[in-house]
Amino acid sequence: MNLSNAPTTKVSVIAPDVSGGGMTRVYLVSQILQKLGHDVEVIGCQFGDVIYPPPPDTLSVTAVPGQQLPQFIQSATQLLNQIRGDVIYAIKPRPTSLGIALLKKMYTRRPVLLDMDDWELSWFGGEDYAYRPTVKQLARDIFKPDGALRDLEHPFYISLGEQWVRQADVVTVNNQFLQQKFGGHYLPNSKDTDIFDPARFDPAVSRQTYGLSDYRVLMFPGTARPHKGLEDVLMAMDQLDQPDLRLVIVGGRKPDGYEDDLMARWPQWLIKLPRFPSDQMAEVVAAAHVVVVPQRDTSIARAQFPIKLTDGMAMAKPILSTTVGDIPKILGDTGYLVAPCAADQLAQMLQTILDNPRQAAERGRLARERCIQHYSVNAMAETLGPLIQQCVKRQPRNQLGYKQNYRRMESGR
């Protein structure tokens, strides 16, 4: 389905780590580009054991083995040789994505778009972060086998990547915080509402499929982190003390022991489901009675658009969330909102949802309508289409001949 009358362009979408955070956004941007009729390739270094999450059926991922510095130079060379797009779209301002894209631009003059879905430096103190080592410490960080600066996720490289943002031809961001901080065009998280369509699934069958038939399911799709407020939901469940309630965490990575701590503290309320391909997540979310997005009010959370919101909205689920960042604007009047870090309020609102299933179903229906209008892949394609064409038009007049010569050189390897 080509939503654009413009000529097809080959776009290389560069992931910062195909086995780590950011791949959900990579797939989303890629699917929007496919909706526009473009030829899309997804490329990135793989620093972990597997590609996560698994790609949808419509996308293939070219992975290059990721390595720490200085061996990363070999990975970067392989990655540069794999990029075939007329336009390069880097996801996140990291050396492994934006850095590679800007290097490719230097000798091919291909335009670069940058997408930002997170304030990366907020994980390290934000504006207060500064790397000021002594000479001795700097030497250790560079030259020791386990030196800190060998790791490309060191905050020094994150801060460096933010300085490169202005070198991108076009910047897209998924929330107002990032737009105010870095500028760029608003491209919020979205869903393919044809795939995430509640009419395609029977919730009772989905619950049976995933072993949840005996429970009223509060669902959290994604990685458990402290700023995501799961502890507040679990404390609310302690207050309600209703034996058939369960908080179901679906997939996600385990970058630390936080999820294990939750499971140890609240085994009576928690169920963990494994990772699923993105196309299968619609069936999984269909099993939920309520989707919970209880963000805490931190700089990390304020700089995010929780993609779990569009999971629930597209599937017409009642959504219980908090008044943090863009969440009130995203949900409008279609969700249930409480203050952050307020287990008492969460318990009261959850009881309201459970006691009023017709009202909850109606809000879910309105949430899906809002998602289709504002946060569907088709809606986002209307924003992204002109930006791609803007990049193509910015190419120098002699770019076509240059690209043809470069492609002949590549094909002759």
Side-chain angles (χ1 to χ4, degrees), residues 14 65 81 90 102 110 128 163 175 203 213 217 241 246 248 254 266 269-270 277 283 287 310 316 348 374-375 384 406:
I14 305 182
N81 290 335
L102 292 175
R110 298 179 190 179
D128 295 331
Q163 298 175 33
N175 61 73
S213 295
V217 175
D241 195 22
R246 291 294 185 276
V248 179
K254 294 182 68 173
W266 285 283
W269 301 131
L270 277 167
E283 181 186 35
T310 51
Q348 293 171 11
H374 298 290
Y375 306 111
L384 188 55
Y406 185 80

Side-chain angles (χ1 to χ4, degrees), residues 200-404:
R200 298 176 57 227
F201 306 97
D202 182 333
V205 172
S206 289
R207 284 191 282 274
Q208 184 177 20
T209 299
Y210 298 105
L212 303 172
S213 295
D214 294 336
Y215 308 115
R216 287 181 293 173
V217 175
L218 316 180
M219 186 169 287
F220 177 86
T223 300
R225 298 273 199 174
H227 72 275
K228 296 182 180 181
L230 295 181
E231 291 174 72
D232 302 322
V233 173
L234 291 162
M235 287 187 286
M237 295 172 74
D238 279 341
Q239 292 182 31
L240 293 175
D241 195 22
Q242 298 179 15
D244 64 338
L245 283 180
R246 291 294 185 276
L247 174 59
V248 179
I249 300 175
V250 184
R253 297 176 297 125
K254 294 182 68 173
D256 50 38
Y258 180 68
E259 184 181 290
D260 292 333
D261 290 342
L262 294 181
M263 298 294 292
R265 291 171 63 188
W266 285 283
Q268 72 275 29
W269 301 131
L270 277 167
I271 293 175
K272 177 63 189 291
L273 293 184
R275 304 168 175 178
F276 296 98
S278 57
D279 289 347
Q280 192 176 340
M281 281 301 297
E283 181 186 35
V284 177
V285 177
H289 290 91
V290 183
V291 171
V292 291
V293 190
Q295 300 283 91
R296 290 180 167 178
D297 191 14
T298 68
S299 59
I300 296 171
R302 288 192 294 272
Q304 292 181 337
F305 181 130
I307 203 163
K308 291 164 284 297
L309 291 176
T310 51
D311 287 340
M313 292 173 77
M315 292 301 292
K317 297 295 179 180
I319 298 170
L320 176 56
S321 191
T322 52
T323 53
V324 174
D326 288 0
I327 292 174
K329 178 183 176 182
I330 295 164
L331 289 174
D333 296 327
T334 70
Y336 295 84
L337 293 175
V338 301
C341 296
D344 290 349
Q345 293 184 29
L346 281 169
Q348 293 171 11
M349 191 64 78
L350 180 56
Q351 191 65 63
T352 297
I353 296 170
L354 298 174
D355 288 345
N356 298 276
R358 289 187 179 180
Q359 180 196 70
E362 175 62 13
R363 288 207 191 179
R365 184 187 68 80
L366 293 173
R368 175 169 168 80
E369 288 184 358
R370 185 172 178 82
C371 188
I372 291 171
Q373 182 178 1
H374 298 290
Y375 306 111
S376 66
V377 169
N378 287 353
M380 292 306 98
E382 295 180 6
T383 298
L384 188 55
L387 298 180
I388 296 294
Q389 295 311 311
Q390 175 184 329
C391 276
V392 173
K393 290 177 182 178
R394 281 186 180 182
Q395 297 180 56
R397 290 184 179 181
N398 63 347
Q399 179 73 351
L400 180 59
Y402 186 90
K403 285 193 297 185
Q404 289 173 340

Side-chain angles (χ1 to χ4, degrees), residues 17-20 45-51 66:
D17 177 3
V18 301
S19 58
C45 284
Q46 181 175 331
F47 291 92
D49 295 332
V50 296
I51 295 173

Side-chain angles (χ1 to χ4, degrees), residues 75-225:
S75 302
T77 301
Q78 293 181 55
L79 202 56
L80 287 165
N81 290 335
Q82 292 287 344
I83 297 172
R84 303 283 190 264
D86 304 308
V87 172
I88 305 169
Y89 207 145
I91 307 299
K92 294 183 178 290
R94 294 190 182 181
T96 52
S97 51
L98 179 59
I100 295 295
L102 292 175
L103 279 174
K104 191 74 172 182
K105 179 181 178 180
M106 284 177 60
Y107 66 91
T108 65
R109 293 178 286 178
R110 298 179 190 179
V112 170
L113 293 90
L114 167 66
D115 183 76
M116 303 178 69
D117 66 341
D118 203 351
W119 184 26
E120 305 289 311
L121 207 56
S122 68
W123 296 88
F124 306 101
E127 302 289 358
D128 295 331
Y129 170 76
Y131 178 63
R132 299 189 181 97
T134 64
V135 173
K136 187 175 181 180
Q137 182 64 51
L138 179 62
R140 283 199 298 263
D141 288 348
I142 293 174
F143 297 112
K144 287 188 68 175
D146 59 347
L149 288 180
R150 290 177 179 258
D151 183 355
L152 285 160
E153 292 194 356
H154 189 283
F156 169 73
Y157 299 120
I158 304 297
S159 63
L160 198 62
E162 288 192 0
Q163 298 175 33
W164 301 338
V165 169
R166 65 179 68 93
Q167 297 183 43
D169 296 277
V170 172
V171 175
T172 55
V173 295
N174 80 342
N175 61 73
Q176 292 181 324
F177 179 96
L178 293 175
Q179 191 172 43
Q180 291 170 4
K181 187 169 183 60
F182 296 100
H185 301 267
Y186 182 52
L187 190 73
N189 282 331
S190 58
K191 274 288 175 291
D192 188 326
T193 50
D194 293 331
I195 294 175
F196 281 73
D197 181 354
R200 298 176 57 227
F201 306 97
D202 182 333
V205 172
S206 289
R207 284 191 282 274
Q208 184 177 20
T209 299
Y210 298 105
L212 303 172
S213 295
D214 294 336
Y215 308 115
R216 287 181 293 173
V217 175
L218 316 180
M219 186 169 287
F220 177 86
T223 300
R225 298 273 199 174

